[in-house]
Amino acid sequence: MKLNNLISLKRKKLRVGRGIGSGKGKTSGRGVKGQKSRSGVAIKSFEGGQMPLFRRLPKRGFNPIKKIEIGIINLEVIQKLIDNNKIKTDSTINLEVLKKAKVFNNSIKKFKILGNGEIKSKIDISATYISNTAKLKIEKIGGKLTLNK
């Protein structure tokens, strides 16, 4: 096939509004009257009376979908759990132990220890985050701390 033949394969541009004999004369295929027949007017996101897509979908706002829930626990709560024999001091206190004691539910993936209240028992804690006051109180008693990310 020669290049000359390729030129003839191109379709001619349809010239609308060039007389009744062209098939696209007078109203140029836009129908009669109405908003859509005018130039420069487009009905954006109008779906013919159907509920528009942006109103059908739920609002998401500034709440991230994959937000990681961080559980918070105070030292006084840990001491109460030790006093009630729900947690043993001889083993390391971590997220799994606190979930078994029903302090956190299964949606919690990380937790932070805060220094509210007093702790009397010497404990080993493995937490994701810890406040400075809680760290000082645990080290003062002689407890062991490990931070895991």
Side-chain angles (χ1 to χ4, degrees), residues 38-51:
R38 317 282 188 228
S39 66
V41 179
I43 306 170
K44 291 182 178 75
S45 74
F46 182 69
E47 298 178 26
Q50 176 176 301
M51 185 65 70

Side-chain angles (χ1 to χ4, degrees), residues 29-85:
R30 288 178 171 264
V32 193
K33 296 185 180 177
Q35 186 177 7
K36 289 172 128 183
S37 71
R38 317 282 188 228
S39 66
V41 179
I43 306 170
K44 291 182 178 75
S45 74
F46 182 69
E47 298 178 26
Q50 176 176 301
M51 185 65 70
L53 182 69
F54 74 93
R55 287 183 62 197
R56 281 188 302 232
L57 298 175
K59 288 184 199 170
R60 283 173 49 188
F62 293 95
N63 299 323
I65 292 172
K66 293 182 179 179
K67 184 181 178 185
I68 297 170
E69 293 277 330
I70 298 172
I72 294 170
I73 188 166
N74 280 304
L75 288 175
E76 63 183 356
V77 177
I78 295 172
Q79 186 60 49
K80 280 181 187 175
L81 292 168
I82 292 167
D83 293 341
N84 295 337
N85 294 325

Side-chain angles (χ1 to χ4, degrees), residues 91-106:
S91 64
T92 305
I93 298 168
N94 56 15
L95 188 62
E96 285 73 39
V97 172
L98 292 170
K99 281 182 180 179
K100 282 182 186 173
K102 296 188 177 171
V103 177
F104 299 130
N105 59 13
N106 288 330

Side-chain angles (χ1 to χ4, degrees), residues 2-148:
K2 293 182 181 177
L3 287 173
N4 294 350
N5 296 345
L6 287 175
I7 296 168
S8 64
L9 292 175
K10 284 175 87 177
R11 193 176 173 136
K12 263 181 133 179
K13 186 182 171 218
L14 186 69
R15 297 176 70 215
V16 293
R18 294 295 187 277
I20 203 163
S22 69
K24 285 276 189 250
K26 193 186 169 204
T27 55
S28 307
R30 288 178 171 264
V32 193
K33 296 185 180 177
Q35 186 177 7
K36 289 172 128 183
S37 71
R38 317 282 188 228
S39 66
V41 179
I43 306 170
K44 291 182 178 75
S45 74
F46 182 69
E47 298 178 26
Q50 176 176 301
M51 185 65 70
L53 182 69
F54 74 93
R55 287 183 62 197
R56 281 188 302 232
L57 298 175
K59 288 184 199 170
R60 283 173 49 188
F62 293 95
N63 299 323
I65 292 172
K66 293 182 179 179
K67 184 181 178 185
I68 297 170
E69 293 277 330
I70 298 172
I72 294 170
I73 188 166
N74 280 304
L75 288 175
E76 63 183 356
V77 177
I78 295 172
Q79 186 60 49
K80 280 181 187 175
L81 292 168
I82 292 167
D83 293 341
N84 295 337
N85 294 325
K86 290 191 176 183
I87 294 178
K88 294 179 178 74
T89 54
D90 56 348
S91 64
T92 305
I93 298 168
N94 56 15
L95 188 62
E96 285 73 39
V97 172
L98 292 170
K99 281 182 180 179
K100 282 182 186 173
K102 296 188 177 171
V103 177
F104 299 130
N105 59 13
N106 288 330
S107 66
I108 303 293
K109 303 289 184 237
K110 298 179 177 185
F111 77 103
K112 181 174 183 172
I113 300 168
L114 300 178
N116 216 7
E118 290 298 317
I119 188 135
K120 300 166 202 146
S121 309
K122 185 179 172 184
I123 51 172
D124 292 346
I125 291 185
S126 175
T128 318
Y129 309 104
I130 190 160
S131 69
N132 290 333
T133 53
K135 187 176 180 181
L136 289 171
K137 287 179 182 179
I138 291 168
E139 288 173 350
K140 187 179 175 184
I141 293 169
K144 192 177 155 193
L145 249 171
T146 49
L147 289 175
N148 52 342

